[in-house]
C-alpha cells in the first residue's frame, strides 16, 4: 500500500513539475520508514492533528515559539516594501480599511519577528502549527530519551493523547535538552516544504494562465508571503474589461474549503483543472 501511495504522489508531483524533497519523502512520518515502531509512534502522534499545537492541547506552539526566538529577525527591508505596497493597493481597491492597513504595517510588517536565512523566509516559521512536522519532532525527541522514554512511548502507542498528556509538563525542558541548538528545528519542515512546493507551483500555473488570457500581474506572493497569511491574497491581477481582481489560489477542488472566509478576495482559482470561482457566490466565472 505504501508503495502505491508513493507512486501516486510521485506521479502527481512530476506532472506538476515539483521534485520530491528526496526519493522516500512523500507523506508525514516518512523520515521513519525502515523503523516500524518509530513510524507507528509518529503516525499515532500525528493523528491528534491540531491538538498537538493548541494551548488547551499539548501546547507545542508556545514551546516551539520560545525555542525559535533567538533565530528570529526583522522582516528584510525589500520584503517590507513589497508588503506595504501591496497593503496600499488592497486599501485602494477597497478590500481593506485604512485601519486594517495600518495595523498590518505596524504589527505584521514592521513589528514582526520571523526566521530568515540570507534574506530568505524559512519554512520553520510554520513549524509551530504544522502537526505533521510536530509529530516527527516529538517522535525524535522521545527516542533521544533512551530507556527513560520507554514508558511514554508505550503509552502513546496504546493511547496517544493520554500518553502525550503524561509527558506534557516535561516537554519544555526536554526540547531544551535534546534540541540544544535551536537551528536543529529547521530540519523539521519536510511536510511544510512539500505543501509549499505544491502551492507555489499552483500559483505559478494560475498566474501564467491568466497572463496568457491578457491579465497583468499587480502583485505576486510566494513562500512566507504576509499578504497571503493575513488577507488570503496570493495574486492581484488586472485586465481592462474585468478590472483588478484579488485572488486566492488552490491546487485542486478538494483543497478548497468553501466555508472558509476570504473576505478580501474576489476570485478563488483552482489550478488543476483551471477553474475560476467568484468568492462570494461560489459560482464559476466564464471569461
Amino acid at each position: 500500500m505504501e508503495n502505491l501511495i508513493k507512486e501516486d504522489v510521485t506521479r502527481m508531483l512530476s506532472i506538476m513539475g515539483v521534485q520530491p524533497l528526496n526519493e522516500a519523502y512523500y507523506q508525514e512520518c516518512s523520515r521513519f520508514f525502515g523503523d516500524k515502531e518509530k513510524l507507528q509512534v509518529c503516525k499515532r502522534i500525528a493523528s491528534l492533528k491540531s491538538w498537538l499545537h493548541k494551548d488547551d492541547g499539548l501546547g507545542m506552539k508556545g514551546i516551539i515559539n520560545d525555542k525559535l526566538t533567538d533565530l528570529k529577525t526583522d522582516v528584510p527591508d525589500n520584503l517590507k516594501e513589497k508588503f506595504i505596497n501591496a497593503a496600499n493597493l488592497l486599501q485602494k481597491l477597497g478590500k481593506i480599511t485604512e485601519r486594517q492597513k495600518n495595523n498590518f504595517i505596524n504589527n505584521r510588517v514592521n513589528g514582526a519577528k520571523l526566521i530568515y536565512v540570507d534574506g530568505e523566509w524559512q519554512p520553520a516559521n510554520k513549524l509551530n502549527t504544522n502537526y505533521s512536522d510536530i509529530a516527527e519532532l516529538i517522535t525524535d525527541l522521545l527516542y533521544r530519551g533512551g530507556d527513560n522514554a520507554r514508558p511514554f512511548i508505550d503509552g502513546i502507542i496504546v493511547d496517544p493523547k493520554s500518553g502525550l498528556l503524561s509527558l506534557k509538563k516535561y516537554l519544555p525542558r526536554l526540547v531544551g535538552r535534546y534540541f540544544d541548538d535551536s537551528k536543529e528545528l529547521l530540519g523539521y519542515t519536510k511536510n511544510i516544504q512539500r505543501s509549499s512546493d505544491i502551492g507555489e507551483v499552483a500559483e505559478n500555473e494560475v498566474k501564467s494562465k491568466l497572463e496568457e488570457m491578457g491579465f497583468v500581474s499587480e502583485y505576486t506572493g510566494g513562500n512566507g508571503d504576509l499578504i497571503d497569511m493575513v488577507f488570503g491574497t496570493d495574486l492581484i491581477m488586472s485586465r481592462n474589461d474585468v478590472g483588478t481582481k484579488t485572488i486566492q489560489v488552490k491546487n485542486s477542488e478538494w483543497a478548497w474549503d468553501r466555508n472558509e472566509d476570504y473576505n478580501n478576495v474576489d476570485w478563488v482559482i483552482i489550478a488543476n483543472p483551471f477553474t475560476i470561482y467568484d468568492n462570494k457566490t461560489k459560482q464559476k466565472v466564464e471569461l
Side-chain angles (χ1 to χ4, degrees), residues 23-245:
E23 185 179 353
Y25 206 90
Y26 59 94
Q27 61 175 310
E28 65 188 17
C29 302
S30 291
R31 71 172 68 228
F32 302 118
F33 283 169
D35 189 319
K36 290 185 178 180
E37 185 182 83
K38 285 186 179 180
L39 181 61
Q40 180 188 19
V41 169
C42 183
K43 291 283 191 180
R44 295 287 280 165
I45 295 172
S47 70
L48 297 173
K49 299 188 177 181
S50 62
W51 180 87
L52 295 173
H53 72 75
K54 290 182 176 180
D55 291 338
D56 59 354
L58 191 61
M60 285 298 295
K61 180 178 180 179
I63 295 171
I64 290 170
N65 285 343
D66 290 343
K67 187 63 182 176
L68 293 175
T69 296
D70 63 328
L71 300 181
K72 295 180 180 181
T73 62
D74 294 334
V75 175
D77 288 340
N78 64 316
L79 291 179
K80 283 185 180 181
E81 182 178 4
K82 175 184 177 180
F83 298 145
I84 290 171
N85 288 341
N88 285 326
L89 178 56
L90 288 175
Q91 184 194 2
K92 182 180 179 181
L93 293 171
K95 301 304 178 185
I96 61 175
T97 65
E98 183 176 3
R99 181 178 180 180
Q100 286 177 304
K101 181 192 76 173
N102 291 337
N103 283 340
F104 171 74
I105 292 172
N106 293 332
N107 299 322
R108 299 303 299 269
V109 178
N110 293 328
K113 293 288 185 179
L114 297 169
I115 304 170
Y116 293 89
V117 175
D118 297 327
E120 293 291 328
W121 181 90
Q122 296 299 302
N125 285 300
K126 291 186 175 181
L127 175 59
N128 60 357
T129 56
N130 187 284
Y131 67 81
S132 296
D133 285 315
I134 289 174
E136 296 186 7
L137 187 153
I138 293 174
T139 301
D140 266 344
L141 180 150
L142 285 165
Y143 282 91
R144 290 182 184 191
D147 292 339
N148 291 332
R150 176 48 56 183
F152 296 108
I153 293 171
D154 292 341
I156 289 167
I157 291 173
V158 174
D159 185 333
K161 182 174 286 189
S162 294
L164 286 170
L165 282 174
S166 69
L167 182 67
K168 181 176 179 177
K169 65 181 179 181
Y170 306 112
L171 279 172
R173 177 166 54 85
L174 293 174
V175 169
R177 175 188 297 177
Y178 294 119
F179 296 97
D180 180 58
D181 185 352
S182 53
K183 290 182 180 178
E184 193 172 356
L185 268 64
L186 301 181
Y188 290 89
T189 59
K190 291 186 176 182
N191 295 282
I192 298 167
Q193 291 181 64
R194 182 185 58 189
S195 60
S196 295
D197 286 346
I198 293 173
E200 189 167 1
V201 169
E203 288 179 27
N204 290 336
E205 287 181 350
V206 166
K207 180 182 177 183
S208 295
K209 181 68 174 180
L210 289 173
E211 288 176 336
E212 290 173 5
M213 299 168 67
F215 283 82
V216 174
S217 174
E218 305 291 348
Y219 182 80
T220 303
N223 283 338
D225 182 64
L226 293 180
I227 293 293
D228 176 25
M229 292 179 187
V230 177
F231 302 119
T233 302
D234 293 312
L235 300 170
I236 303 177
M237 307 287 289
S238 62
R239 198 173 76 176
N240 288 337
D241 59 331
V242 297
T244 303
K245 300 296 182 182

